[in-house]
């Protein structure tokens, strides 16, 4: 079979949507294709270092963006070591990741949060485009089965049942560059990663949902290799696909990439089954295996 680089047109565009470790993994897997790839990153995290920075300084959540950039660094340097450094001890800086603080500082010095990302990408020689889902601060919220609205990603993760629905509060516009990337894309990847708190938030923005609804690109849902903790772990794969499609104004997902047969979905979806797990961690996608699987879907008519 020909390699992806032999078949990939210089005009072929790939978009990956999500957050945290999952989005970083797929972007890292496709890093050889540089500026042909755009990651649209969730910006609603309110936990850990990111949450503490948001609580005292406001702004969007930087943790998922930092995580993606970390996984895209291919040339270790003093700059990358500084960007990945996490403070220890018991003081106010304890637990803070310096990369989060750097992004927030550059955000304060810039006209747009996207400018801060561009400066860090240039410093660390990252070619893949990283775009926040929105440049306006917002939080993930959920309506529980009892009709209560709870706020914050950490609160969603702690729910003891699947929520009725998710929402982003306040309503914020998507980043123009995110919409443009979707409009130009040939293939769009959803996941892997935390379904409710990483994959879903960008799809809740009206502009992104509409762009996905009318895209000519193939949309691929990449499954996780292990069941998630929390409410997402209570959802079936069919539930997840339905949630995505409902958010995308009814747009059907074209392909599902999984590590095992999904006979129950074969009548409604194209299924690509491949070995995806890392030999070191069975719950983590192997970068080369993930890359090869995505390549094969791209080369499928």
């Amino acid at each position: 079979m020909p390699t992806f680089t032999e078949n990939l047109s210089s005009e072929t565009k790939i978009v990956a949507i999500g957050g945290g470790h999952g989005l970083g993994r797929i972007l890292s897997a496709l890093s050889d294709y540089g500026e042909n790839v755009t990651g649209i990153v969730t910006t609603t995290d309110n936990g850990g270092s990111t949450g503490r920075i948001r609580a005292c300084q406001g702004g969007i959540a930087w943790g998922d963006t930092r995580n993606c950039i970390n996984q895209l660094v291919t040339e270790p340097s003093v700059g990358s070591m500084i960007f990945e450094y996490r403070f220890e001890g018991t003081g106010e800086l304890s637990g803070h990741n310096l990369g989060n603080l750097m992004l927030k500082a550059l955000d304060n010095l810039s006209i747009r949060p996207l400018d801060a990302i561009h400066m860090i990408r240039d410093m660390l020689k990252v070619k893949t485009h990283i775009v926040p889902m929105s440049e306006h601060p917002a939080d993930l919220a959920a309506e529980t089965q009892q009709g209560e609205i709870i706020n914050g990603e950490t609160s969603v993760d702690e729910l003891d049942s699947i929520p009725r629905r998710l929402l982003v509060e306040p309503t914020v516009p998507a980043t123009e560059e995110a919409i443009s990337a979707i409009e130009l894309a040939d293939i769009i990847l959803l996941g892997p990663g935390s379904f409710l708190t990483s994959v879903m938030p960008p799809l809740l923005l009206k502009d992104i949902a509409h762009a996905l609804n009318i895209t000519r690109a193939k949309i691929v849902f990449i499954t996780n290799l292990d069941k998630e903790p929390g409410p997402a772990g209570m959802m079936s794969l069919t539930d997840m696909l339905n949630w995505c499609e409902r958010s995308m104004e009814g747009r059907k997902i074209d392909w599902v990439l999984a590590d095992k047969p999904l006979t129950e979905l074969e009548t409604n979806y194209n299924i690509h089954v491949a070995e995806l797990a890392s030999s070191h961690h069975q719950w983590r996608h192997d970068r080369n295996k993930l890359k090869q699987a995505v390549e094969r879907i791209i080369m499928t008519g």
Side-chain angles (χ1 to χ4, degrees), residues 94-108:
S94 177
H96 271 305
N97 187 288
L98 186 53
N100 289 341
L101 296 171
M102 291 170 67
L103 283 163
K104 182 58 186 173
L106 289 171
D107 181 19
N108 289 343

Side-chain angles (χ1 to χ4, degrees), residues 3 37 48 50 52 55 84-85 87 107 109 120 125 143 272 296:
T3 64
V37 182
T50 293
R52 290 165 60 194
E84 295 174 21
Y85 180 77
F87 292 93
D107 181 19
L109 293 170
I120 291 292
K125 300 179 181 179
E143 182 183 354
H272 183 77
R296 291 190 183 105

Side-chain angles (χ1 to χ4, degrees), residues 255-262 266 271-276 293 296:
W255 284 85
V256 177
L257 173 57
D259 65 326
K260 56 189 175 184
L262 302 169
E266 287 178 351
I271 311 295
H272 183 77
V273 179
E275 182 182 342
L276 297 172
R296 291 190 183 105

